Amino acid sequence: MTAVEEGDLIVRREGAAGVIRLNRPKAINAMTLEMSIGIDAALDRFEADPEVAVIVLEGAGERGLCAGGDIRGLWESSREGGDLGARFWRQEYTMNARIAKYPKPYVAFMDGLVMGGGVGLSGHASHRVVTDRTKLAMPEVGLGFFPDVGGTWLLSRSPGEIGTYFGLTGQTMNGPDAIHAKFADAVVPAAKWPELREALTKVRPGATAADVSALINGFATGDAAGPVAAKQAMIDALFGFDRMEDIVAALERDGSDFAQATLKTLGEKSPRGMVVTLKLLRLARTASSLEACLVREYRAALEVFRSDDFREGVRAAVIDKDRNPTWSPPRIQDVTPPMLAPYFAEIGADELKLN
């Protein structure tokens, strides 16, 4: 066992496995810029090491793989007119694209909370393992933001309107629903992870993705649909529109308990964030690649970073924790085309360039 670095990120080889452990358990392993850079360096090292057959991504502690990015740091930089957003997201999105194309099997252990940036680290992996404790979400609309880190690509490829529902409401998926939504590949009970992890360290060099899948499936429950999947038909009918006003109107007409609860949830989100999210999701449906979505997300993220809604959303959720944001504008119908245009405009020399 050879360790490279302790601290917020632990990188080591254990047998045939290149292990990357997020190590900020008190912050539910929230990602910093330095951690992202460290993961890139680890991927370089493991790609070049012929003794590493498989990558294993995991989170320290019992609470989750990763609760997202270091939102407080981004909020402080946004308030000060800094550039952390541009630097952080450029690094993160480039890494997300790299994970999707990584040449060796990459197993993400998605136990506990997996949110935002944690989805970026795991949702593009070749092997995505959820558990009986998984709580996966893209809750960015509650921060005046949108599901980024390639989230628009993933959500737009969920069946029917399931991705639209999860993207706009920020609701949580359990393990089986993550399978249904195509965010994960296998449910393995958390109690079986140590045994599976040990088996991964003994994978032979040159093992294929199919070999690793067969190993994981030997520990899997086979569950592939949870409570939200059972509402697929209703969600498809209510969220199959391209304008937020039409989705809200459909929910109001429906009147079911599910529709009323969903309306309440949407009423707490940033109107601008929801409109931007819906447009990004619809554009992602016809995107040719994850990279195309990440380029579009980067443009929108830079505009979010400059916005009052982002600072207000983080203030209400993370800083003051009063859960009472004052959104600008306060209503969906007040989000105008001129407000939206900057989120989707080309940005010249500042564009995200992905190989």
Side-chain angles (χ1 to χ4, degrees), residues 276-291:
V276 168
T277 293
L278 184 58
K279 184 168 182 178
L280 285 169
L281 290 175
R282 294 303 184 246
L283 289 169
R285 279 189 171 166
T286 57
S288 60
S289 65
L290 166 64
E291 287 84 353

Side-chain angles (χ1 to χ4, degrees), residues 70-125:
D70 182 14
I71 294 295
R72 184 180 290 269
L74 289 166
W75 177 78
E76 290 172 352
S77 181
S78 176
R79 290 183 74 207
E80 296 163 2
D83 66 348
L84 179 59
R87 292 186 293 121
F88 181 81
W89 289 317
R90 182 177 292 274
Q91 163 63 32
E92 185 177 31
Y93 296 2
T94 302
M95 179 181 61
N96 298 148
R98 180 184 187 178
I99 289 168
K101 291 186 172 181
Y102 199 68
K104 295 183 178 181
Y106 177 122
V107 179
F109 180 53
M110 303 163 71
D111 189 37
L113 286 177
V114 185
M115 295 186 177
V119 175
L121 290 173
S122 58
H124 306 298

